[in-house]
Amino acid sequence: MEMKQLTAKIAEKREAFKGAFVSWFEKTKERLLQFFSRFLRFDYTLKDFFLVLSFGVLLGAGIKTATNETFTIGYEDYKVSHLENIYKMNDIQKTLLE
């Protein structure tokens, strides 16, 4: 009889905790949504998405092109023609680890 009462009490406490946690989670979610809705707008269009995407692609391609002659990272190191301008990332990493 005592084991059944203990099991029932544990189940009751578990349900109470679950209810309190769900309630807290819902309140926190609402507070966060209210806080971020002040700073973010959720009515972005497909045009906005493609503008940001194209800007990111152009920025990435520009950075890669600008640093192509000076940074070496991997297996294509032998293709770099200007050896006096090179920062070898593998050597920098070894130096930092020591």
Side-chain angles (χ1 to χ4, degrees):
M1 185 76 169
E2 188 174 310
M3 189 62 163
K4 288 183 182 181
Q5 289 175 346
L6 184 61
T7 305
K9 193 177 252 189
I10 290 173
E12 179 183 324
K13 295 291 183 183
R14 185 178 293 154
E15 288 299 319
F17 175 76
K18 184 179 176 183
F21 178 75
V22 168
S23 173
W24 173 82
F25 183 75
E26 291 295 325
K27 288 177 186 175
T28 305
K29 185 175 80 169
E30 278 299 316
R31 288 183 193 142
L32 286 173
L33 284 175
Q34 287 174 359
F35 176 74
F36 285 116
S37 68
R38 295 179 188 164
F39 302 107
L40 301 173
R41 61 185 178 110
F42 294 106
D43 57 344
Y44 294 113
T45 62
L46 195 58
K47 178 183 172 185
D48 296 331
F49 173 74
F50 282 117
L51 283 173
V52 170
L53 180 69
S54 60
F55 178 72
V57 168
L58 289 174
L59 182 67
I63 290 173
K64 184 175 189 242
T65 302
T67 61
N68 195 22
E69 295 291 323
T70 55
F71 283 97
T72 62
I73 296 175
Y75 58 91
E76 293 184 353
D77 292 346
Y78 67 93
K79 294 181 181 179
V80 178
S81 60
H82 301 90
L83 295 176
E84 65 274 357
N85 296 0
I86 293 178
Y87 297 102
K88 295 181 182 176
M89 297 303 283
N90 294 334
D91 293 341
I92 294 171
Q93 183 180 15
K94 286 179 187 175
T95 306
L96 290 174
L97 290 175
E98 293 175 351

XYZ file of all heavy atoms in Angstrom:
818
model
N 0.821 -1.190 0.000
C 0.000 0.000 0.000
C 0.870 1.262 0.000
O 0.562 2.222 -0.664
C -0.924 -0.050 1.226
C -1.895 1.067 1.282
S -3.205 0.770 0.121
C -4.324 2.009 0.593
N 1.951 1.214 0.751
C 2.824 2.369 0.866
C 3.512 2.679 -0.472
O 3.702 3.837 -0.829
C 3.870 2.114 1.947
C 4.692 3.326 2.272
C 5.615 3.077 3.439
O 5.152 2.593 4.490
O 6.802 3.368 3.270
N 3.872 1.656 -1.235
C 4.531 1.844 -2.534
C 3.577 2.509 -3.527
O 3.985 3.363 -4.301
C 5.013 0.488 -3.061
C 5.863 0.587 -4.261
S 7.343 1.505 -3.829
C 8.364 1.072 -5.168
N 2.307 2.120 -3.510
C 1.328 2.727 -4.402
C 1.120 4.201 -4.059
O 0.987 5.040 -4.941
C -0.003 1.977 -4.330
C 0.023 0.626 -4.980
C -1.326 -0.026 -4.930
C -1.262 -1.410 -5.543
N -2.564 -2.059 -5.530
N 1.089 4.511 -2.785
C 0.939 5.907 -2.372
C 2.150 6.733 -2.795
O 2.015 7.874 -3.249
C 0.754 5.994 -0.849
C -0.572 5.480 -0.367
C -0.657 5.484 1.154
O 0.355 5.634 1.832
N -1.863 5.303 1.671
N 3.322 6.154 -2.636
C 4.543 6.846 -3.026
C 4.568 7.080 -4.536
O 4.911 8.174 -5.008
C 5.769 6.037 -2.578
C 7.121 6.665 -2.822
C 7.244 7.984 -2.064
C 8.224 5.715 -2.401
N 4.179 6.076 -5.302
C 4.127 6.211 -6.761
C 3.106 7.272 -7.168
O 3.362 8.075 -8.067
C 3.772 4.853 -7.403
O 4.701 3.870 -6.955
C 3.819 4.932 -8.911
N 1.970 7.295 -6.521
C 0.937 8.295 -6.826
C 1.423 9.696 -6.476
O 1.195 10.658 -7.225
C -0.349 7.975 -6.064
N 2.124 9.821 -5.348
C 2.640 11.121 -4.935
C 3.708 11.615 -5.919
O 3.740 12.793 -6.282
C 3.217 11.020 -3.528
C 3.498 12.345 -2.897
C 3.987 12.166 -1.478
C 2.882 12.604 -0.545
N 3.309 12.685 0.844
N 4.570 10.707 -6.377
C 5.597 11.073 -7.366
C 4.940 11.511 -8.674
O 5.340 12.513 -9.280
C 6.576 9.899 -7.597
C 7.441 9.701 -6.362
C 7.435 10.141 -8.827
C 8.318 8.469 -6.405
N 3.929 10.780 -9.108
C 3.221 11.144 -10.341
C 2.541 12.504 -10.192
O 2.558 13.322 -11.127
C 2.198 10.069 -10.695
N 1.984 12.760 -9.019
C 1.332 14.051 -8.765
C 2.349 15.192 -8.806
O 2.111 16.231 -9.426
C 0.655 13.998 -7.400
C -0.040 15.269 -6.998
C -0.612 15.148 -5.594
O -1.073 14.050 -5.222
O -0.583 16.162 -4.879
N 3.494 14.999 -8.169
C 4.544 16.021 -8.166
C 5.095 16.238 -9.578
O 5.383 17.364 -9.987
C 5.695 15.625 -7.232
C 5.314 15.547 -5.787
C 5.028 16.928 -5.239
C 4.708 16.820 -3.761
N 4.352 18.086 -3.176
N 5.247 15.156 -10.324
C 5.738 15.247 -11.700
C 4.778 16.063 -12.563
O 5.200 16.917 -13.346
C 5.921 13.850 -12.279
C 6.547 13.849 -13.652
C 6.754 12.450 -14.174
N 7.765 11.782 -13.363
C 7.851 10.477 -13.195
N 6.981 9.680 -13.774
N 8.794 9.950 -12.466
N 3.485 15.816 -12.414
C 2.484 16.572 -13.178
C 2.470 18.042 -12.771
O 2.332 18.929 -13.616
C 1.100 15.947 -13.006
C 0.922 14.640 -13.729
C 1.086 14.779 -15.233
O 0.596 15.761 -15.820
O 1.735 13.894 -15.816
N 2.633 18.309 -11.486
C 2.664 19.696 -11.021
C 3.881 20.417 -11.591
O 3.791 21.568 -12.033
C 2.679 19.735 -9.494
N 5.026 19.739 -11.565
C 6.244 20.337 -12.126
C 6.089 20.567 -13.624
O 6.468 21.619 -14.141
C 7.443 19.435 -11.849
C 8.704 19.928 -12.488
C 9.386 20.998 -11.954
C 9.187 19.336 -13.638
C 10.550 21.473 -12.548
C 10.337 19.797 -14.248
C 11.021 20.869 -13.703
N 5.527 19.591 -14.306
C 5.321 19.716 -15.752
C 4.412 20.901 -16.065
O 4.691 21.694 -16.963
C 4.726 18.420 -16.301
C 4.564 18.390 -17.784
C 3.990 17.048 -18.227
C 3.720 17.019 -19.703
N 3.105 15.756 -20.114
N 3.344 21.044 -15.319
C 2.433 22.174 -15.531
C 3.104 23.509 -15.256
O 2.940 24.472 -16.006
N 3.897 23.562 -14.187
C 4.590 24.807 -13.846
C 5.635 25.143 -14.909
O 5.805 26.304 -15.290
C 5.246 24.679 -12.476
N 6.341 24.124 -15.392
C 7.362 24.365 -16.409
C 6.747 24.840 -17.711
O 7.234 25.785 -18.334
C 8.187 23.100 -16.656
C 9.223 23.277 -17.721
C 10.375 23.999 -17.454
C 9.036 22.754 -18.985
C 11.331 24.178 -18.425
C 9.983 22.937 -19.970
C 11.140 23.648 -19.693
N 5.660 24.219 -18.127
C 4.993 24.634 -19.368
C 4.474 26.057 -19.231
O 4.625 26.877 -20.144
C 3.857 23.645 -19.729
C 2.977 24.192 -20.826
C 4.445 22.307 -20.134
N 3.916 26.379 -18.085
C 3.425 27.734 -17.848
C 4.570 28.738 -17.894
O 4.470 29.786 -18.534
C 2.731 27.792 -16.490
O 2.399 29.109 -16.176
N 5.682 28.433 -17.239
C 6.850 29.316 -17.253
C 7.405 29.470 -18.661
O 7.752 30.564 -19.089
C 7.931 28.757 -16.328
C 9.217 29.508 -16.417
C 9.526 30.670 -15.773
C 10.343 29.176 -17.218
N 10.795 31.072 -16.121
C 11.318 30.161 -17.012
C 10.634 28.126 -18.087
C 12.555 30.128 -17.640
C 11.866 28.097 -18.708
C 12.805 29.102 -18.481
N 7.467 28.368 -19.388
C 7.992 28.401 -20.751
C 7.123 29.270 -21.654
O 7.634 30.061 -22.447
C 8.090 26.975 -21.305
C 8.684 26.904 -22.673
C 10.043 27.062 -22.853
C 7.879 26.688 -23.775
C 10.604 27.003 -24.112
C 8.424 26.627 -25.039
C 9.788 26.785 -25.209
N 5.822 29.141 -21.554
C 4.915 29.948 -22.367
C 5.043 31.433 -22.034
O 5.063 32.279 -22.924
C 3.469 29.486 -22.171
C 3.175 28.124 -22.759
C 3.291 28.109 -24.267
O 2.948 29.114 -24.915
O 3.740 27.071 -24.801
N 5.143 31.759 -20.752
C 5.301 33.163 -20.349
C 6.630 33.723 -20.869
O 6.687 34.853 -21.367
C 5.247 33.292 -18.830
C 3.887 33.100 -18.244
C 3.948 33.187 -16.729
C 2.610 32.847 -16.115
N 2.671 32.808 -14.648
N 7.691 32.939 -20.752
C 9.002 33.378 -21.219
C 9.001 33.562 -22.726
O 9.570 34.530 -23.246
C 10.082 32.357 -20.806
O 10.023 32.170 -19.400
C 11.457 32.826 -21.200
N 8.357 32.654 -23.437
C 8.271 32.765 -24.893
C 7.538 34.040 -25.288
O 7.983 34.767 -26.180
C 7.565 31.539 -25.468
C 7.529 31.518 -26.984
C 6.923 30.243 -27.511
C 5.426 30.336 -27.427
N 4.724 29.268 -28.131
N 6.453 34.342 -24.613
C 5.704 35.567 -24.907
C 6.539 36.812 -24.628
O 6.546 37.754 -25.409
C 4.416 35.617 -24.080
C 3.286 34.835 -24.659
C 2.877 35.346 -26.023
O 2.768 36.586 -26.212
O 2.669 34.513 -26.905
N 7.254 36.804 -23.510
C 8.101 37.958 -23.184
C 9.198 38.152 -24.223
O 9.491 39.283 -24.621
C 8.720 37.772 -21.807
C 7.736 37.917 -20.681
C 8.428 37.783 -19.348
N 7.459 37.626 -18.284
C 7.609 36.839 -17.236
N 8.702 36.142 -17.095
N 6.671 36.758 -16.329
N 9.820 37.058 -24.643
C 10.883 37.170 -25.654
C 10.334 37.657 -26.990
O 10.957 38.476 -27.666
C 11.592 35.829 -25.828
C 12.533 35.434 -24.705
C 13.047 34.017 -24.907
C 13.695 36.401 -24.613
N 9.176 37.147 -27.380
C 8.572 37.594 -28.640
C 8.216 39.073 -28.576
O 8.425 39.808 -29.548
C 7.337 36.764 -28.957
C 7.601 35.368 -29.490
C 6.289 34.605 -29.659
C 8.338 35.418 -30.807
N 7.708 39.529 -27.454
C 7.393 40.952 -27.312
C 8.659 41.796 -27.349
O 8.689 42.860 -27.959
C 6.649 41.206 -26.005
C 5.231 40.712 -26.015
C 4.575 40.864 -24.639
O 5.200 41.330 -23.698
N 3.316 40.450 -24.546
N 9.718 41.322 -26.708
C 10.973 42.071 -26.677
C 11.576 42.174 -28.074
O 11.955 43.255 -28.532
C 11.967 41.384 -25.731
C 13.317 42.027 -25.719
C 13.507 43.236 -25.081
C 14.388 41.431 -26.343
C 14.748 43.843 -25.054
C 15.636 42.026 -26.336
C 15.812 43.230 -25.687
N 11.656 41.050 -28.805
C 12.290 41.068 -30.110
C 11.408 41.675 -31.193
O 11.909 42.128 -32.212
C 12.742 39.666 -30.519
C 13.969 39.219 -29.791
C 13.931 38.140 -28.937
C 15.160 39.900 -29.950
C 15.060 37.742 -28.258
C 16.299 39.508 -29.277
C 16.254 38.421 -28.422
N 10.109 41.688 -30.975
C 9.238 42.293 -31.984
C 9.440 43.805 -32.058
O 9.093 44.424 -33.054
C 7.778 41.960 -31.700
O 7.362 42.600 -30.516
N 10.014 44.380 -31.016
C 10.330 45.808 -31.062
C 11.472 46.088 -32.020
O 11.547 47.153 -32.612
C 10.718 46.310 -29.681
C 9.611 46.244 -28.684
C 10.085 46.725 -27.343
N 9.067 46.473 -26.331
C 9.275 46.497 -25.041
N 10.475 46.776 -24.592
N 8.312 46.249 -24.198
N 12.384 45.151 -32.150
C 13.579 45.360 -32.958
C 13.497 44.712 -34.341
O 14.179 45.137 -35.268
C 14.808 44.808 -32.240
C 15.016 45.430 -30.902
C 14.762 44.716 -29.747
C 15.440 46.740 -30.792
C 14.953 45.283 -28.511
C 15.625 47.325 -29.558
C 15.376 46.594 -28.421
N 12.717 43.682 -34.460
C 12.627 42.953 -35.723
C 11.227 43.079 -36.300
O 10.252 43.121 -35.571
C 12.929 41.466 -35.507
C 14.294 41.130 -34.929
C 14.354 39.652 -34.629
C 15.382 41.514 -35.905
N 11.174 43.125 -37.592
C 9.855 43.065 -38.215
C 9.748 41.725 -38.936
O 10.719 41.208 -39.465
C 9.641 44.225 -39.177
C 10.609 44.280 -40.311
C 10.383 45.532 -41.148
N 11.368 45.563 -42.190
C 11.099 45.380 -43.468
N 9.872 45.190 -43.854
N 12.056 45.402 -44.356
N 8.589 41.156 -38.941
C 8.414 39.823 -39.478
C 7.710 39.832 -40.831
O 7.195 38.823 -41.268
C 7.616 38.955 -38.500
C 8.360 38.693 -37.234
C 8.014 39.326 -36.069
C 9.433 37.814 -37.218
C 8.706 39.092 -34.902
C 10.123 37.569 -36.056
C 9.767 38.213 -34.889
N 7.691 40.976 -41.502
C 7.007 41.044 -42.783
C 7.997 41.190 -43.937
O 7.801 41.963 -44.843
C 5.986 42.186 -42.787
C 6.625 43.536 -42.474
O 7.750 43.549 -41.968
O 5.976 44.560 -42.735
N 9.086 40.444 -43.859
C 10.055 40.470 -44.942
C 9.458 39.807 -46.173
O 8.727 38.833 -46.084
C 11.339 39.754 -44.546
C 12.093 40.451 -43.448
C 12.220 39.882 -42.193
C 12.664 41.690 -43.669
C 12.913 40.524 -41.189
C 13.357 42.342 -42.673
C 13.477 41.752 -41.440
O 14.156 42.388 -40.448
N 9.824 40.316 -47.329
C 9.314 39.753 -48.562
C 10.393 38.920 -49.224
O 11.539 38.894 -48.794
C 8.879 40.876 -49.518
O 10.019 41.665 -49.840
C 7.802 41.741 -48.895
N 10.028 38.256 -50.281
C 10.975 37.462 -51.045
C 12.046 38.352 -51.664
O 13.211 37.968 -51.765
C 10.214 36.690 -52.140
C 10.939 35.549 -52.805
C 11.366 34.516 -51.775
C 10.048 34.914 -53.847
N 11.663 39.563 -52.013
C 12.615 40.527 -52.565
C 13.704 40.851 -51.540
O 14.895 40.887 -51.881
C 11.870 41.795 -52.969
C 12.742 42.887 -53.508
C 11.905 44.125 -53.809
C 12.774 45.306 -54.165
N 11.997 46.520 -54.348
N 13.309 41.076 -50.284
C 14.289 41.347 -49.231
C 15.245 40.171 -49.055
O 16.446 40.357 -48.890
C 13.587 41.628 -47.902
C 12.734 42.872 -47.948
O 13.070 43.789 -48.718
O 11.738 42.924 -47.214
N 14.705 38.968 -49.086
C 15.535 37.778 -48.940
C 16.582 37.695 -50.043
O 17.761 37.453 -49.784
C 14.653 36.521 -48.937
C 15.430 35.245 -48.964
C 16.097 34.816 -47.826
C 15.502 34.487 -50.116
C 16.812 33.640 -47.845
C 16.220 33.317 -50.139
C 16.875 32.884 -48.997
N 16.162 37.905 -51.281
C 17.108 37.815 -52.390
C 18.112 38.962 -52.384
O 19.266 38.787 -52.795
C 16.373 37.743 -53.730
C 15.809 36.379 -54.006
C 14.450 36.190 -54.127
C 16.647 35.285 -54.117
C 13.933 34.938 -54.365
C 16.143 34.018 -54.346
C 14.780 33.847 -54.475
N 17.731 40.124 -51.907
C 18.687 41.222 -51.783
C 19.778 40.896 -50.771
O 20.969 41.099 -51.025
C 17.968 42.511 -51.384
C 17.214 43.232 -52.486
C 16.410 44.387 -51.904
C 18.179 43.753 -53.528
N 19.388 40.366 -49.630
C 20.367 40.008 -48.609
C 21.238 38.851 -49.095
O 22.465 38.854 -48.898
C 19.665 39.657 -47.282
C 20.632 39.048 -46.286
C 19.006 40.872 -46.699
N 20.638 37.875 -49.739
C 21.387 36.740 -50.267
C 22.400 37.181 -51.314
O 23.570 36.785 -51.267
C 20.433 35.703 -50.873
C 21.100 34.464 -51.460
C 21.702 33.621 -50.344
C 20.094 33.660 -52.251
N 21.985 38.028 -52.249
C 22.907 38.483 -53.292
C 24.013 39.354 -52.701
O 25.171 39.271 -53.119
C 22.157 39.230 -54.388
O 21.508 40.359 -53.870
N 23.696 40.182 -51.717
C 24.724 40.981 -51.055
C 25.743 40.073 -50.360
O 26.947 40.320 -50.442
C 24.095 41.932 -50.032
C 25.102 42.743 -49.284
C 25.795 43.771 -49.904
C 25.377 42.467 -47.950
C 26.729 44.517 -49.210
C 26.302 43.209 -47.249
C 26.986 44.232 -47.888
N 25.285 39.029 -49.710
C 26.196 38.090 -49.049
C 27.090 37.361 -50.026
O 28.285 37.188 -49.782
N 26.530 36.948 -51.157
C 27.333 36.257 -52.175
C 28.374 37.207 -52.746
O 29.553 36.848 -52.907
C 26.424 35.679 -53.284
C 27.242 35.227 -54.477
C 25.602 34.533 -52.736
N 27.967 38.435 -53.069
C 28.924 39.400 -53.613
C 30.009 39.754 -52.596
O 31.189 39.868 -52.953
C 28.197 40.659 -54.071
C 27.336 40.511 -55.331
C 26.557 41.793 -55.581
C 28.200 40.168 -56.516
N 29.638 39.922 -51.350
C 30.622 40.230 -50.317
C 31.601 39.065 -50.139
O 32.815 39.272 -50.052
C 29.915 40.535 -48.994
C 30.807 40.925 -47.830
C 31.472 42.281 -48.114
C 30.001 40.986 -46.554
N 31.097 37.859 -50.104
C 31.963 36.686 -49.965
C 32.906 36.526 -51.147
O 34.094 36.237 -50.975
N 32.388 36.720 -52.355
C 33.244 36.614 -53.544
C 34.298 37.709 -53.553
O 35.458 37.476 -53.923
C 32.385 36.692 -54.804
N 33.920 38.906 -53.116
C 34.886 40.010 -53.065
C 35.993 39.757 -52.061
O 37.178 39.990 -52.347
N 35.645 39.272 -50.894
C 36.658 38.970 -49.880
C 37.577 37.853 -50.351
O 38.794 37.916 -50.184
C 35.983 38.618 -48.540
C 35.335 39.858 -47.935
C 36.970 38.012 -47.556
C 34.502 39.593 -46.707
N 36.995 36.828 -50.967
C 37.812 35.713 -51.461
C 38.767 36.194 -52.546
O 39.939 35.818 -52.574
C 36.917 34.616 -51.999
C 37.687 33.400 -52.447
C 36.760 32.285 -52.859
C 37.594 31.066 -53.078
N 37.614 30.523 -54.328
N 38.295 37.041 -53.431
C 39.146 37.553 -54.505
C 40.240 38.449 -53.940
O 41.396 38.376 -54.385
C 38.292 38.341 -55.515
O 37.268 37.474 -56.015
C 39.133 38.843 -56.665
N 39.913 39.275 -52.976
C 40.899 40.197 -52.407
C 41.994 39.466 -51.647
O 43.148 39.888 -51.645
C 40.203 41.197 -51.492
N 41.661 38.370 -50.992
C 42.655 37.661 -50.179
C 43.231 36.444 -50.872
O 44.012 35.712 -50.272
C 42.035 37.228 -48.848
O 40.941 36.345 -49.110
C 41.565 38.420 -48.047
N 42.903 36.234 -52.112
C 43.349 35.045 -52.831
C 44.869 34.986 -52.960
O 45.459 33.916 -52.927
C 42.692 34.996 -54.211
C 42.806 33.642 -54.853
O 42.997 32.649 -54.164
N 42.688 33.606 -56.161
N 45.514 36.125 -53.120
C 46.961 36.161 -53.322
C 47.742 36.175 -52.011
O 48.951 35.967 -52.019
C 47.335 37.405 -54.137
C 46.788 37.385 -55.549
C 47.454 36.323 -56.418
O 48.670 36.110 -56.246
O 46.756 35.719 -57.246
N 47.100 36.436 -50.880
C 47.860 36.604 -49.646
C 47.628 35.520 -48.604
O 48.506 35.292 -47.779
C 47.535 37.954 -49.002
O 46.130 38.050 -48.814
C 47.998 39.098 -49.868
N 46.493 34.870 -48.590
C 46.232 33.838 -47.590
C 46.256 32.477 -48.240
O 45.639 32.262 -49.284
C 44.854 34.042 -46.928
C 44.845 35.124 -45.910
C 44.416 36.389 -46.230
C 45.259 34.861 -44.620
C 44.403 37.387 -45.292
C 45.250 35.861 -43.671
C 44.824 37.128 -44.009
N 46.979 31.556 -47.619
C 46.953 30.166 -48.065
C 46.381 29.333 -46.939
O 46.747 29.500 -45.778
C 48.368 29.663 -48.418
O 49.163 29.715 -47.249
C 48.973 30.493 -49.512
N 45.492 28.438 -47.285
C 44.819 27.667 -46.250
C 45.011 26.170 -46.447
O 45.125 25.435 -45.501
C 43.308 28.005 -46.217
C 43.123 29.455 -45.822
C 42.572 27.113 -45.258
C 41.716 29.941 -45.863
N 45.089 25.694 -47.655
C 45.059 24.247 -47.799
C 45.929 23.693 -48.896
O 47.064 24.121 -49.106
N 45.374 22.741 -49.611
C 46.125 21.924 -50.546
C 46.513 22.661 -51.821
O 47.287 22.129 -52.609
C 45.323 20.674 -50.887
C 43.955 20.965 -51.480
C 43.785 21.081 -52.847
C 42.858 21.116 -50.656
C 42.538 21.359 -53.373
C 41.619 21.397 -51.182
C 41.470 21.507 -52.549
O 40.256 21.784 -53.075
N 46.016 23.857 -52.072
C 46.377 24.605 -53.280
C 47.468 25.643 -53.012
O 47.628 26.596 -53.749
C 45.141 25.281 -53.867
C 44.130 24.286 -54.395
C 42.959 24.952 -55.073
O 42.854 26.192 -55.021
O 42.134 24.238 -55.639
N 48.253 25.452 -51.973
C 49.286 26.413 -51.605
C 50.336 26.581 -52.703
O 50.864 27.668 -52.905
C 49.990 25.980 -50.319
C 49.068 26.058 -49.121
O 48.011 26.687 -49.241
O 49.425 25.487 -48.077
N 50.650 25.510 -53.397
C 51.701 25.572 -54.417
C 51.299 26.421 -55.617
O 52.153 26.828 -56.393
C 52.064 24.157 -54.879
C 50.952 23.470 -55.631
C 50.885 23.536 -57.019
C 49.961 22.769 -54.967
C 49.879 22.917 -57.719
C 48.950 22.148 -55.656
C 48.913 22.220 -57.032
O 47.908 21.608 -57.720
N 50.027 26.743 -55.770
C 49.570 27.526 -56.916
C 49.735 29.032 -56.719
O 49.599 29.790 -57.654
C 48.099 27.231 -57.200
C 47.832 25.816 -57.662
C 46.365 25.628 -57.942
C 46.072 24.223 -58.389
N 44.651 24.021 -58.632
N 50.030 29.460 -55.490
C 50.150 30.886 -55.202
C 51.469 31.378 -55.766
O 52.530 30.824 -55.522
C 50.071 31.144 -53.688
C 50.253 32.614 -53.382
C 48.747 30.651 -53.148
N 51.407 32.481 -56.538
C 52.600 32.947 -57.236
C 53.462 33.889 -56.406
O 54.670 33.876 -56.508
C 52.181 33.632 -58.543
O 51.354 34.730 -58.256
N 52.882 34.731 -55.576
C 53.637 35.714 -54.799
C 53.956 35.135 -53.426
O 53.176 35.269 -52.494
C 52.838 37.010 -54.648
C 52.483 37.628 -55.957
N 51.333 37.328 -56.620
C 53.154 38.509 -56.730
C 51.272 38.007 -57.744
N 52.374 38.735 -57.840
N 55.103 34.523 -53.286
C 55.432 33.855 -52.034
C 55.863 34.809 -50.930
O 55.845 34.450 -49.774
C 56.537 32.819 -52.283
C 56.134 31.661 -53.192
C 57.327 30.760 -53.429
C 55.001 30.876 -52.584
N 56.244 36.040 -51.236
C 56.682 36.960 -50.183
C 55.512 37.592 -49.431
O 55.692 38.110 -48.344
C 57.590 38.057 -50.760
C 56.897 38.996 -51.739
C 56.897 38.476 -53.167
O 57.481 37.421 -53.426
O 56.281 39.132 -54.014
N 54.310 37.559 -49.981
C 53.135 38.188 -49.349
C 52.285 37.199 -48.557
O 51.249 37.577 -48.053
C 52.234 38.806 -50.407
C 52.903 39.926 -51.150
O 54.040 40.252 -50.880
N 52.197 40.513 -52.090
N 52.713 35.987 -48.453
C 51.830 34.932 -47.950
C 51.835 34.854 -46.422
O 52.881 34.903 -45.791
C 52.242 33.577 -48.538
C 51.983 33.573 -50.034
C 51.509 32.438 -47.872
C 52.398 32.305 -50.701
N 50.636 34.735 -45.861
C 50.459 34.370 -44.459
C 50.013 32.922 -44.452
O 48.922 32.599 -44.893
C 49.384 35.233 -43.783
C 49.715 36.689 -43.735
C 49.147 37.581 -44.625
C 50.599 37.168 -42.792
C 49.456 38.921 -44.581
C 50.922 38.515 -42.739
C 50.342 39.384 -43.631
O 50.646 40.703 -43.583
N 50.844 32.039 -43.973
C 50.503 30.614 -43.980
C 49.699 30.288 -42.727
O 50.217 30.367 -41.608
C 51.767 29.767 -44.053
C 52.511 29.962 -45.358
C 53.735 29.105 -45.420
C 54.465 29.375 -46.733
N 55.717 28.640 -46.815
N 48.437 29.966 -42.923
C 47.536 29.728 -41.804
C 47.979 28.517 -40.983
O 47.833 28.500 -39.766
C 46.102 29.531 -42.304
C 45.531 30.755 -43.007
S 45.554 32.237 -42.000
C 44.171 31.919 -40.946
N 48.548 27.503 -41.629
C 49.016 26.332 -40.887
C 50.161 26.700 -39.945
O 50.216 26.239 -38.807
C 49.462 25.234 -41.857
C 48.312 24.678 -42.650
O 47.170 24.726 -42.215
N 48.601 24.149 -43.828
N 51.078 27.543 -40.408
C 52.185 27.981 -39.553
C 51.687 28.871 -38.416
O 52.171 28.776 -37.287
C 53.236 28.730 -40.378
C 53.933 27.820 -41.374
O 53.865 26.575 -41.186
O 54.540 28.345 -42.330
N 50.735 29.737 -38.710
C 50.158 30.601 -37.668
C 49.470 29.758 -36.605
O 49.620 29.996 -35.404
C 49.190 31.625 -38.292
C 49.959 32.605 -39.178
C 48.419 32.370 -37.217
C 49.076 33.519 -39.991
N 48.749 28.721 -37.040
C 48.063 27.850 -36.095
C 49.068 27.108 -35.225
O 48.883 27.001 -34.009
C 47.185 26.868 -36.860
C 46.367 25.962 -35.976
C 45.511 24.990 -36.748
O 45.717 24.799 -37.949
N 44.571 24.372 -36.083
N 50.151 26.604 -35.808
C 51.174 25.904 -35.017
C 51.799 26.849 -33.990
O 52.048 26.469 -32.856
C 52.246 25.338 -35.933
C 51.804 24.129 -36.712
C 52.909 23.644 -37.626
C 52.416 22.545 -38.543
N 53.439 22.134 -39.516
N 52.062 28.090 -34.404
C 52.658 29.067 -33.502
C 51.729 29.373 -32.328
O 52.161 29.472 -31.185
C 52.991 30.369 -34.258
O 53.805 30.056 -35.377
C 53.698 31.349 -33.365
N 50.448 29.514 -32.617
C 49.478 29.815 -31.558
C 49.292 28.650 -30.591
O 49.033 28.872 -29.407
C 48.139 30.211 -32.162
C 48.101 31.559 -32.867
C 46.757 31.760 -33.549
C 48.358 32.673 -31.891
N 49.419 27.436 -31.093
C 49.243 26.279 -30.237
C 50.435 26.035 -29.326
O 50.317 25.364 -28.299
C 48.963 25.027 -31.066
C 47.588 24.995 -31.750
C 47.472 23.772 -32.623
C 46.492 25.001 -30.701
N 51.594 26.565 -29.687
C 52.800 26.347 -28.868
C 52.851 27.261 -27.679
O 52.203 28.152 -27.440
C 54.055 26.541 -29.712
C 54.185 25.475 -30.747
C 55.374 25.736 -31.691
O 55.977 26.813 -31.629
O 55.654 24.840 -32.480
